[in-house]
Protein backbone atom coordinates (compact mmCIF):
# COMPACT_ATOMS: atom_id res chain seq x y z
CA UNK A 1 0.00 0.00 0.00
CA UNK A 2 1.04 3.60 -0.52
CA UNK A 3 3.25 5.16 2.12
CA UNK A 4 1.44 7.71 4.26
CA UNK A 5 4.69 9.38 5.31
CA UNK A 6 6.02 9.61 1.73
CA UNK A 7 2.89 11.43 0.67
CA UNK A 8 3.09 13.93 3.53
CA UNK A 9 6.77 14.53 2.72
CA UNK A 10 5.96 15.18 -0.94
CA UNK A 11 3.22 17.63 -0.03
CA UNK A 12 5.43 19.44 2.46
CA UNK A 13 8.34 19.63 0.00
CA UNK A 14 6.21 21.27 -2.68
CA UNK A 15 3.91 23.31 -0.48
CA UNK A 16 5.29 26.65 -1.65
CA UNK A 17 4.50 25.78 -5.27
CA UNK A 18 0.78 25.54 -4.54
CA UNK A 19 -1.51 28.54 -5.03
CA UNK A 20 -1.63 30.67 -1.85
CA UNK A 21 0.63 28.47 0.30
CA UNK A 22 0.23 30.89 3.21
CA UNK A 23 -3.45 29.91 3.35
CA UNK A 24 -2.58 26.28 4.09
CA UNK A 25 -2.62 25.38 7.79
CA UNK A 26 -1.74 21.79 6.97
CA UNK A 27 -3.27 18.57 5.72
CA UNK A 28 -4.62 15.28 6.71
CA UNK A 29 -3.84 12.23 4.65
CA UNK A 30 -5.61 8.89 4.65
CA UNK A 31 -4.66 5.87 2.56
CA UNK A 32 -6.77 2.83 1.88
CA UNK A 33 -9.17 1.40 -0.67
CA UNK A 34 -12.06 3.35 -2.09
CA UNK A 35 -15.64 2.20 -2.67
CA UNK A 36 -14.71 0.22 -5.79
CA UNK A 37 -11.64 -1.40 -4.23
CA UNK A 38 -9.05 0.82 -5.91
CA UNK A 39 -5.99 1.93 -3.96
CA UNK A 40 -6.75 5.47 -2.87
CA UNK A 41 -5.40 8.48 -1.04
CA UNK A 42 -7.56 11.10 0.57
CA UNK A 43 -6.05 14.55 1.22
CA UNK A 44 -7.87 17.15 3.25
CA UNK A 45 -6.26 20.53 2.61
CA UNK A 46 -6.82 22.49 5.80
CA UNK A 47 -6.96 26.25 5.36
CA UNK A 48 -6.49 29.01 7.92
CA UNK A 49 -9.95 30.30 8.78
CA UNK A 50 -9.18 33.88 7.86
CA UNK A 51 -7.60 32.92 4.53
CA UNK A 52 -10.17 30.48 3.15
CA UNK A 53 -11.58 33.15 0.86
CA UNK A 54 -8.25 33.36 -1.00
CA UNK A 55 -8.52 29.75 -2.07
CA UNK A 56 -12.28 29.57 -2.46
CA UNK A 57 -12.78 30.69 -6.10
CA UNK A 58 -13.43 27.47 -8.01
CA UNK A 59 -10.54 28.00 -10.39
CA UNK A 60 -8.11 28.36 -7.49
CA UNK A 61 -9.45 25.24 -5.83
CA UNK A 62 -9.07 23.43 -9.16
CA UNK A 63 -5.42 24.47 -9.48
CA UNK A 64 -4.63 23.45 -5.94
CA UNK A 65 -6.53 20.20 -6.29
CA UNK A 66 -4.78 19.33 -9.56
CA UNK A 67 -1.32 20.05 -8.16
CA UNK A 68 -1.97 18.07 -4.99
CA UNK A 69 -3.30 15.21 -7.06
CA UNK A 70 -0.14 15.23 -9.22
CA UNK A 71 2.11 15.32 -6.15
CA UNK A 72 0.33 12.40 -4.53
CA UNK A 73 0.33 10.41 -7.78
CA UNK A 74 4.09 10.97 -8.05
CA UNK A 75 4.68 9.99 -4.43
CA UNK A 76 2.62 6.83 -4.79
CA UNK A 77 4.26 5.66 -8.03
CA UNK A 78 4.48 2.96 -9.26
CA UNK A 79 1.25 2.15 -7.42
CA UNK A 80 -1.68 3.73 -9.25
CA UNK A 81 -3.99 5.48 -6.84
CA UNK A 82 -7.22 7.39 -6.95
CA UNK A 83 -6.67 10.72 -5.26
CA UNK A 84 -9.52 12.50 -3.51
CA UNK A 85 -8.80 16.09 -2.50
CA UNK A 86 -11.13 17.95 -0.16
CA UNK A 87 -10.97 21.32 1.61
CA UNK A 88 -11.76 22.32 5.19
CA UNK A 89 -11.13 25.36 7.30
CA UNK A 90 -8.93 24.86 10.35
CA UNK A 91 -11.81 25.30 12.79
CA UNK A 92 -13.96 22.84 10.81
CA UNK A 93 -11.18 20.28 10.76
CA UNK A 94 -10.39 20.61 14.47
CA UNK A 95 -14.10 20.32 15.20
CA UNK A 96 -14.03 16.91 13.54
CA UNK A 97 -10.63 15.46 14.41
CA UNK A 98 -9.95 17.26 17.71
CA UNK A 99 -8.44 20.49 18.91
CA UNK A 100 -4.98 18.99 19.21
CA UNK A 101 -4.63 18.59 15.42
CA UNK A 102 -1.45 20.38 14.48
CA UNK A 103 -1.21 20.05 10.70
CA UNK B 1 -37.63 19.52 -16.06
CA UNK B 2 -35.55 16.35 -16.24
CA UNK B 3 -34.72 14.06 -13.33
CA UNK B 4 -31.04 14.98 -13.51
CA UNK B 5 -31.75 18.72 -13.38
CA UNK B 6 -34.21 18.23 -10.55
CA UNK B 7 -31.61 16.25 -8.60
CA UNK B 8 -29.06 19.00 -9.12
CA UNK B 9 -31.57 21.58 -7.90
CA UNK B 10 -32.35 19.41 -4.90
CA UNK B 11 -28.64 19.14 -4.08
CA UNK B 12 -28.39 22.91 -4.19
CA UNK B 13 -31.33 23.31 -1.80
CA UNK B 14 -30.17 20.64 0.63
CA UNK B 15 -26.65 21.99 0.98
CA UNK B 16 -28.05 25.36 2.12
CA UNK B 17 -30.48 24.01 4.73
CA UNK B 18 -30.10 24.75 8.46
CA UNK B 19 -28.28 28.01 8.06
CA UNK B 20 -26.27 27.88 11.29
CA UNK B 21 -25.81 24.18 11.97
CA UNK B 22 -26.32 22.01 8.94
CA UNK B 23 -27.49 18.53 9.72
CA UNK B 24 -25.45 15.62 8.48
CA UNK B 25 -28.64 14.28 6.93
CA UNK B 26 -28.96 17.41 4.76
CA UNK B 27 -25.31 17.49 3.72
CA UNK B 28 -25.16 13.76 3.00
CA UNK B 29 -28.33 13.86 0.91
CA UNK B 30 -26.95 16.89 -0.94
CA UNK B 31 -23.80 14.96 -1.84
CA UNK B 32 -25.80 11.93 -2.87
CA UNK B 33 -28.16 14.03 -4.98
CA UNK B 34 -25.20 15.76 -6.63
CA UNK B 35 -23.71 12.41 -7.68
CA UNK B 36 -27.00 11.06 -8.96
CA UNK B 37 -27.63 14.27 -10.87
CA UNK B 38 -24.46 13.71 -12.88
CA UNK B 39 -25.07 9.96 -13.05
CA UNK B 40 -28.53 10.42 -14.53
CA UNK B 41 -27.31 13.20 -16.83
CA UNK B 42 -24.80 10.81 -18.34
CA UNK B 43 -26.97 7.71 -18.57
CA UNK B 44 -29.76 9.75 -20.09
CA UNK B 45 -27.35 11.06 -22.72
CA UNK B 46 -25.88 7.62 -23.34
CA UNK B 47 -29.24 5.87 -23.64
CA UNK B 48 -30.49 8.53 -26.05
CA UNK B 49 -27.30 8.08 -28.07
CA UNK B 50 -27.89 4.34 -28.29
CA UNK B 51 -31.65 4.42 -28.81
CA UNK B 52 -32.86 7.24 -31.01
CA UNK B 53 -36.42 8.26 -31.71
CA UNK B 54 -39.09 10.04 -29.72
CA UNK B 55 -41.29 6.99 -29.15
CA UNK B 56 -38.63 4.57 -27.85
CA UNK B 57 -38.86 5.42 -24.14
CA UNK B 58 -39.29 1.81 -22.98
CA UNK B 59 -36.25 0.61 -24.90
CA UNK B 60 -34.20 3.57 -23.66
CA UNK B 61 -35.26 2.76 -20.12
CA UNK B 62 -34.03 -0.81 -20.62
CA UNK B 63 -30.65 0.57 -21.69
CA UNK B 64 -30.42 2.81 -18.62
CA UNK B 65 -30.77 -0.27 -16.43
CA UNK B 66 -27.62 -1.74 -17.98
CA UNK B 67 -25.25 0.88 -16.59
CA UNK B 68 -22.92 -0.11 -13.78
CA UNK B 69 -21.40 2.44 -11.39
CA UNK B 70 -18.04 0.65 -11.34
CA UNK B 71 -17.84 0.37 -15.11
CA UNK B 72 -18.75 4.04 -15.45
CA UNK B 73 -15.89 4.86 -13.08
CA UNK B 74 -13.52 2.80 -15.25
CA UNK B 75 -14.66 4.71 -18.32
CA UNK B 76 -14.16 8.01 -16.52
CA UNK B 77 -10.67 6.93 -15.44
CA UNK B 78 -9.76 6.09 -19.02
CA UNK B 79 -10.90 9.42 -20.38
CA UNK B 80 -9.55 11.43 -17.46
CA UNK B 81 -6.07 10.04 -17.92
CA UNK B 82 -6.12 9.74 -21.69
CA UNK B 83 -5.39 6.00 -21.55
CA UNK B 84 -8.11 4.86 -23.87
CA UNK B 85 -8.58 1.25 -24.95
CA UNK B 86 -7.14 0.67 -28.41
CA UNK B 87 -10.64 0.13 -29.79
CA UNK B 88 -11.53 3.74 -28.97
CA UNK B 89 -8.31 5.57 -29.73
CA UNK B 90 -9.27 6.47 -33.26
CA UNK B 91 -12.83 7.35 -32.34
CA UNK B 92 -12.30 10.53 -30.33
CA UNK B 93 -11.28 12.74 -33.24
CA UNK B 94 -8.23 14.04 -31.39
CA UNK B 95 -7.13 14.75 -27.81
CA UNK B 96 -9.67 14.49 -25.02
CA UNK B 97 -11.02 18.01 -24.40
CA UNK B 98 -10.24 19.51 -20.97
CA UNK B 99 -13.97 19.81 -20.18
CA UNK B 100 -14.40 16.07 -20.61
CA UNK B 101 -11.31 15.28 -18.52
CA UNK B 102 -12.66 17.54 -15.78
CA UNK B 103 -16.13 16.00 -16.01
CA UNK B 104 -14.57 12.57 -15.59
CA UNK B 105 -12.55 13.68 -12.58
CA UNK B 106 -15.67 15.17 -11.02
CA UNK B 107 -17.71 12.03 -11.66
CA UNK B 108 -15.11 9.88 -9.90
CA UNK B 109 -14.93 12.24 -6.92
CA UNK B 110 -18.71 12.45 -6.66
CA UNK B 111 -19.09 8.67 -6.83
CA UNK B 112 -16.71 8.17 -3.93
CA UNK B 113 -18.26 11.01 -1.95
CA UNK B 114 -21.72 9.53 -2.53
CA UNK B 115 -20.58 6.20 -1.15
CA UNK B 116 -19.18 7.93 1.93
CA UNK B 117 -22.30 10.05 2.35
CA UNK B 118 -24.65 7.08 2.11
CA UNK B 119 -22.70 4.43 3.99
CA UNK B 120 -19.73 5.73 6.01
CA UNK B 121 -21.09 6.80 9.37
CA UNK B 122 -17.58 7.59 10.64
CA UNK B 123 -17.25 10.30 8.03
CA UNK B 124 -18.42 13.80 8.92
CA UNK B 125 -19.22 16.25 6.12
CA UNK B 126 -18.83 19.99 6.44
CA UNK B 127 -21.06 22.35 4.53
CA UNK B 128 -17.95 23.57 2.77
CA UNK B 129 -17.11 20.10 1.47
CA UNK B 130 -20.67 19.41 0.41
CA UNK B 131 -20.95 22.78 -1.33
CA UNK B 132 -17.69 22.13 -3.17
CA UNK B 133 -19.09 18.87 -4.50
CA UNK B 134 -22.43 20.42 -5.46
CA UNK B 135 -20.67 23.27 -7.28
CA UNK B 136 -18.54 20.80 -9.16
CA UNK B 137 -21.62 18.81 -10.11
CA UNK B 138 -23.18 22.00 -11.47
CA UNK B 139 -20.08 22.63 -13.51
CA UNK B 140 -20.12 19.02 -14.73
CA UNK B 141 -23.44 19.80 -16.41
CA UNK B 142 -21.77 22.72 -18.21
CA UNK B 143 -18.78 20.59 -19.13
CA UNK B 144 -21.10 17.96 -20.61
CA UNK B 145 -22.86 20.61 -22.70
CA UNK B 146 -19.46 21.65 -24.07
CA UNK B 147 -18.59 18.15 -25.32
CA UNK B 148 -22.01 16.68 -26.07
CA UNK B 149 -22.29 15.67 -29.71
CA UNK B 150 -18.52 15.76 -30.29
CA UNK B 151 -16.58 12.61 -31.27
CA UNK B 152 -14.96 12.51 -27.81
CA UNK B 153 -18.29 12.97 -26.10
CA UNK B 154 -19.87 10.20 -28.14
CA UNK B 155 -16.94 7.87 -27.47
CA UNK B 156 -17.31 8.57 -23.76
CA UNK B 157 -21.00 7.65 -23.83
CA UNK B 158 -20.17 4.34 -25.49
CA UNK B 159 -17.41 3.69 -22.94
CA UNK B 160 -19.79 4.35 -20.04
CA UNK B 161 -21.88 1.40 -21.18
CA UNK B 162 -19.25 -0.89 -22.65
CA UNK B 163 -15.93 -0.07 -20.97
CA UNK B 164 -14.96 -3.62 -19.98
CA UNK B 165 -15.96 -5.09 -23.31
CA UNK B 166 -13.82 -2.55 -25.16
CA UNK B 167 -10.65 -4.15 -23.76
CA UNK B 168 -11.14 -7.33 -25.77
Amino acid sequence: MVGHAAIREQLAAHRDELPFPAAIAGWDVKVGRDATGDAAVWVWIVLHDDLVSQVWPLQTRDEMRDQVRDLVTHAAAPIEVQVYVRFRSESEHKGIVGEDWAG
Amino acid sequence: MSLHKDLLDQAGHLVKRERKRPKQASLRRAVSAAYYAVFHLLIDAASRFVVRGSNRAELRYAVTRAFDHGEMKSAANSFKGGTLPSTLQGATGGPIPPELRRLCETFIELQQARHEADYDLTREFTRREAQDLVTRAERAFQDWTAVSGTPSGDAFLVALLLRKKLDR
Side-chain angles (χ1 to χ4, degrees):
Chain A
M1 183 49 72
V2 176
H4 189 279
I7 292 168
R8 290 189 67 95
E9 281 172 22
Q10 183 81 340
L11 290 172
H14 294 272
R15 179 196 178 115
D16 288 343
E17 297 162 22
L18 298 174
F20 301 109
I24 300 172
W27 13 61
D28 244 339
V29 175
K30 175 184 150 186
V31 299
R33 298 231 168 243
D34 69 11
T36 58
D38 291 335
V41 177
W42 289 257
V43 178
W44 279 269
I45 302 175
V46 183
L47 306 167
H48 291 295
D49 281 25
D50 56 346
L51 297 176
V52 171
S53 59
Q54 283 191 352
V55 177
W56 211 242
L58 187 54
Q59 188 173 342
T60 308
R61 295 201 309 271
D62 282 347
E63 285 175 27
M64 192 174 274
R65 185 179 273 121
D66 287 347
Q67 288 186 40
V68 167
R69 195 180 290 125
D70 287 347
L71 289 170
V72 173
T73 300
H74 182 77
I79 299 170
E80 289 189 15
V81 293
Q82 297 285 347
V83 185
Y84 301 105
V85 182
R86 285 91 182 259
F87 296 87
R88 285 180 183 155
S89 71
E90 190 169 4
S91 58
E92 287 169 347
H93 195 64
K94 284 183 174 179
I96 292 171
V97 305
E99 286 295 325
D100 55 354
W101 176 83
Chain B
M1 196 108 114
S2 60
L3 172 63
H4 44 273
K5 287 182 182 174
D6 283 342
L7 284 168
L8 191 65
D9 266 0
Q10 188 182 65
H13 289 309
L14 284 166
V15 81
K16 295 183 180 77
R17 278 176 62 89
E18 296 105 24
R19 193 170 58 87
K20 288 190 178 176
R21 288 192 177 180
K23 293 182 179 179
Q24 282 298 298
S26 299
L27 299 180
R28 286 168 181 269
R29 294 310 300 154
V31 170
S32 190
Y35 169 68
Y36 277 110
V38 178
F39 172 81
H40 281 287
L41 169 73
L42 293 176
I43 70 169
D44 181 72
S47 64
R48 288 179 186 278
F49 182 71
V50 171
V51 180
R52 314 241 173 160
S54 56
N55 58 344
R56 312 297 296 278
E58 277 192 41
L59 186 56
R60 257 198 299 277
Y61 176 69
V63 171
T64 64
R65 300 295 296 157
F67 287 90
D68 172 83
H69 294 276
E71 197 156 346
M72 291 173 75
K73 180 190 177 186
S74 292
N77 262 322
S78 294
F79 278 74
K80 174 193 81 169
T83 51
L84 298 179
S86 56
T87 44
L88 275 186
Q89 280 169 11
T92 58
I96 308 297
E99 294 92 346
L100 184 52
R101 289 180 185 264
R102 187 169 61 195
L103 167 64
C104 291
E105 190 69 62
T106 298
F107 180 79
I108 294 167
E109 282 258 21
L110 283 169
Q111 189 180 94
Q112 176 62 27
R114 193 287 299 190
H115 180 88
E116 293 168 17
D118 285 351
Y119 302 117
D120 186 357
L121 298 183
T122 66
R123 168 87 162 87
E124 190 168 337
F125 281 85
T126 65
R127 194 196 304 275
R128 190 182 312 279
E129 288 178 277
Q131 182 64 70
D132 179 50
L133 290 161
V134 171
T135 301
R136 293 169 72 197
E138 289 166 350
R139 188 179 56 185
F141 274 56
Q142 296 164 12
D143 285 341
W144 177 245
T145 300
V147 301
S148 175
T150 66
S152 285
D154 290 347
F156 180 56
L157 294 181
V158 169
L160 286 173
L161 186 58
L162 299 173
R163 178 59 188 90
K164 285 181 186 167
K165 294 179 172 59
L166 291 170
D167 281 332
R168 292 182 186 168

